Amino acid sequence: MESARDKRTREIVEAEDLWLLDSVDTEGYVCWGCGITMYPAAWEKDKKVRAYFKKKRHIQHHHECDADAESTVIRQGQKESVRNILDSAPGLMPSGLKLIEQRPVVEPGIAGGESKSSSTRSASSASGESNSPERQSRRQVNAIRNICRAFIRFPHDRGMSLNVPGISGQIYMTAFKKLRKEVQSYPEPKIFYAPLLWKKFSENDEKLIIPLSGEWGKDEAGKPKPTRSYQLHIEWAGWSKAKRTVVRKELEAARTEAIEAKGKGLKDKAWVFFIGEQNAENLEIFHVSDYRLICAIVGHITYPWPSHSGRADS
């Protein structure tokens, strides 16, 4: 599973956010749908794969667990609208983005409040003791990752509402914008996305530079090669080591997953989604300054909607 509920804060935690933590409470999470214990996996810094949550093999999700039914809903959503389900699912199709600074939850008895936290919580969260499932409607999220997953997974439901502050477009279909191969200006603020190239990233203390797709030509042997490529400059000079790790590991995991998908003959690509500013002097460059406004997801994006100027691939 990609997310679980923190036992103490009652918040739904994305598995990738475990990379932010110095230590992880391996007994501190439950299924957000039915309350069984879920265990963090692959969250350690040396792992090459994406973090996730898993249950013990002999334990089954409770009957009619919404979280356990997610995979079925996602498969169905690739073929047809599942809006009737998405309207009552807490995280499958987020209603919007609300950036909230997280603070560590410090275990009682840790002298001096050292940040050896096992979780994070927002300033507005409330704690609770029960592990029982909590039914919710669509919710806002604190990073764009789940919003972008929903965009890929539910192509027939991109007419659903989406509120991202500062972004032009009030539904999924119009809030996203694919970068065209021809390098050009993008005056409207959108959630931009483009395929991730398999080139190495370059980084220093000031920034991480991510090569994206762009214009293609041919080399001396007549083989296709990128000529003018978009670049994503992650301005991370003021970021913590943990925040840098989250972005770097997610990009590396996506690149690995995309290579494996190609080896299996799948259509899936590694896509980079971001909210950033285009450089006025060099249109190939976009700048991102918040780790929550970038993510990398592997998947196959389809466009079943009728063509019009507002669609996400136009």
Side-chain angles (χ1 to χ4, degrees):
M1 286 175 54
E2 296 163 350
S3 61
R5 190 181 297 282
D6 187 294
K7 285 183 179 179
R8 290 169 302 126
T9 69
R10 310 305 299 153
E11 290 183 331
I12 295 179
V13 177
E14 300 300 319
E16 288 93 341
D17 289 340
L18 298 177
W19 289 329
L20 285 168
L21 308 178
D22 292 328
S23 64
V24 173
D25 181 0
T26 57
E27 301 283 341
Y29 300 94
V30 297
C31 172
W32 58 260
C34 66
I36 65 170
T37 299
M38 301 297 296
Y39 299 92
W43 57 270
E44 298 90 345
K45 301 294 189 290
D46 61 338
K47 298 295 185 182
K48 301 295 184 182
V49 297
R50 198 180 295 267
Y52 62 99
F53 291 98
K54 64 180 181 180
K55 61 178 180 61
K56 287 187 175 180
R57 289 186 178 180
H58 65 282
I59 301 296
Q60 299 298 320
H61 288 277
H62 296 174
H63 182 59
E64 295 186 350
C65 169
D66 290 339
D68 188 38
E70 274 193 359
S71 58
T72 302
V73 175
I74 292 168
R75 286 195 299 270
Q76 185 180 353
Q78 288 287 303
K79 302 175 183 178
E80 60 187 2
S81 172
V82 289
R83 182 165 186 162
N84 60 321
I85 301 173
L86 298 176
D87 275 331
S88 59
L92 282 179
M93 199 86 173
S95 61
L97 178 70
K98 185 176 183 180
L99 298 180
I100 301 173
E101 287 303 321
Q102 305 284 323
R103 64 171 181 263
V105 175
V106 180
E107 297 289 355
I110 297 181
E114 291 296 328
S115 181
K116 287 291 182 180
S117 58
S118 60
S119 182
T120 57
R121 80 190 312 172
S122 68
S124 61
S125 68
S127 63
E129 299 301 325
S130 171
N131 289 342
S132 59
E134 300 172 7
R135 288 192 172 270
Q136 304 181 73
S137 58
R138 297 171 64 208
R139 63 185 175 94
Q140 293 181 316
V141 289
N142 192 41
I144 67 170
R145 186 183 299 113
N146 261 13
I147 292 172
C148 301
R149 278 188 180 135
F151 175 80
I152 295 176
R153 288 171 168 173
F154 305 108
H156 300 273
D157 290 297
R158 292 183 187 145
M160 294 184 72
S161 63
L162 179 65
N163 179 22
V164 178
I167 294 301
S168 171
Q170 297 298 311
I171 59 175
Y172 273 79
M173 184 169 56
T174 57
F176 285 78
K177 185 74 173 180
K178 181 181 179 182
L179 297 184
R180 289 183 175 273
K181 292 181 180 179
E182 300 78 15
V183 175
Q184 59 192 264
S185 173
Y186 294 90
E188 282 191 294
K190 299 283 186 179
I191 302 175
F192 295 107
Y193 65 102
L196 174 69
L197 294 184
W198 291 1
K199 293 182 178 180
K200 289 185 177 180
F201 314 132
S202 59
E203 64 177 89
N204 54 38
D205 289 339
E206 299 296 320
K207 67 180 68 175
L208 171 69
I209 299 177
I210 304 167
L212 303 177
S213 63
E215 299 174 9
W216 287 75
K218 293 184 178 180
D219 62 16
E220 296 150 349
K223 294 182 179 180
K225 71 170 186 177
T227 54
R228 294 182 71 199
S229 297
Y230 291 105
Q231 293 182 4
L232 194 53
H233 288 207
I234 310 300
E235 312 291 346
W236 66 10
W239 293 14
S240 66
K241 182 179 178 180
K243 291 177 180 178
R244 296 185 185 194
T245 297
V246 168
V247 172
R248 189 188 295 109
K249 282 185 70 65
E250 185 165 17
L251 288 163
E252 291 172 349
R255 185 166 56 184
T256 299
E257 291 165 4
I259 293 173
E260 291 174 351
K262 183 175 177 62
K264 296 176 182 177
L266 302 177
K267 296 181 180 179
D268 294 8
K269 292 182 179 180
W271 297 92
V272 176
F273 294 83
F274 64 93
I275 297 176
E277 293 185 9
Q278 190 173 25
N279 190 302
E281 298 179 356
N282 186 345
L283 298 181
E284 296 177 37
I285 298 175
F286 285 83
H287 302 273
V288 175
S289 58
D290 191 316
Y291 76 101
R292 297 167 295 184
L293 301 183
I294 175 175
C295 67
I297 301 172
V298 173
H300 177 54
I301 301 179
T302 59
Y303 307 96
W305 288 82
S307 178
H308 64 77
S309 60
R311 60 184 274 177
D313 64 328
S314 62

